Amino acid sequence: MKIMGLDYGTKTVGVALSDGLLLTAQPYETITRERPAQLRKTLQRLEAIIAEEEVSEIVLGLPKNMNNTEGERAEETRSFKEQLERRTLLPVHLVDERLTTMEADRILEETGVAHSGRKEHIDKMAAAIILQTYLDSRAVEKERD
């Protein structure tokens, strides 16, 4: 089984998947919506990935403000979380995603991806960072136990 990481945005959803050992996260794809409010096709695509890749749980980035408060985007993300749980019947964990897009951009720059080409990779890279954060925290918890 694998874990799916998601970076939920107004127009796109970045998708990442763990390896089968639940140690590493890899960028998978970016799902683009024609209209921000329409999630039907996005949810259908996520359900297809879940079935194809044998996903057992989902990690969703929660966009918090720098002062740790939650705004409108966080509310929308929590609503998306509820829809995911109803549609997939999988547990969905929220992970603080502050600065993940900036880190994804830095990683893409360091690996030589041209600035003009980063847009197509940034959301799935941010999803991988969100997922890796979750995987690392799980590993630390297991070591404590």
Side-chain angles (χ1 to χ4, degrees):
M1 297 303 257
K2 296 179 183 177
I3 300 175
M4 173 186 281
L6 301 176
D7 179 34
Y8 176 68
T10 55
K11 295 180 183 177
T12 62
V13 177
V15 182
L17 291 174
S18 72
D19 63 332
L21 297 174
L22 307 180
L23 298 174
T24 62
Q26 295 86 31
Y28 189 77
E29 77 176 61
T30 300
I31 302 168
T32 304
R33 291 190 306 282
E34 292 175 21
R35 292 189 207 125
Q38 291 190 332
L39 290 172
R40 187 176 49 82
K41 288 182 182 177
T42 299
L43 290 167
Q44 287 174 342
R45 179 61 189 137
L46 290 172
E47 288 172 320
I49 295 169
I50 288 166
E52 291 165 15
E53 298 292 337
E54 299 180 344
V55 171
S56 61
E57 54 189 294
I58 301 169
V59 176
L60 177 61
L62 180 65
K64 290 185 170 186
N65 298 319
M66 291 309 290
N67 65 0
N68 203 34
T69 61
E70 294 183 12
E72 185 178 324
R73 288 292 311 137
E75 277 182 45
E76 292 170 14
T77 300
R78 288 185 183 281
S79 174
F80 183 62
K81 174 188 185 285
E82 291 172 9
Q83 291 178 61
L84 277 172
E85 288 172 329
R86 277 194 309 272
R87 292 275 301 248
T88 66
L89 304 176
L90 295 176
V92 179
H93 312 283
L94 294 173
V95 171
D96 186 346
E97 70 165 30
R98 282 179 281 184
L99 304 177
T100 54
T101 301
M102 288 175 46
E103 179 157 345
D105 188 57
R106 182 187 58 77
I107 290 168
L108 291 169
E109 180 180 13
E110 287 176 0
T111 56
V113 177
H115 190 72
S116 60
R118 287 185 210 154
K119 186 174 182 176
E120 70 180 271
H121 299 287
I122 198 141
D123 294 317
K124 61 185 173 184
M125 181 63 74
I129 293 167
I130 291 164
L131 178 55
Q132 191 64 55
T133 299
Y134 179 77
L135 295 172
D136 292 347
S137 69
R138 277 176 54 122
V140 168
E141 284 179 27
K142 282 186 179 180
E143 283 182 23
R144 280 190 226 155
D145 292 342

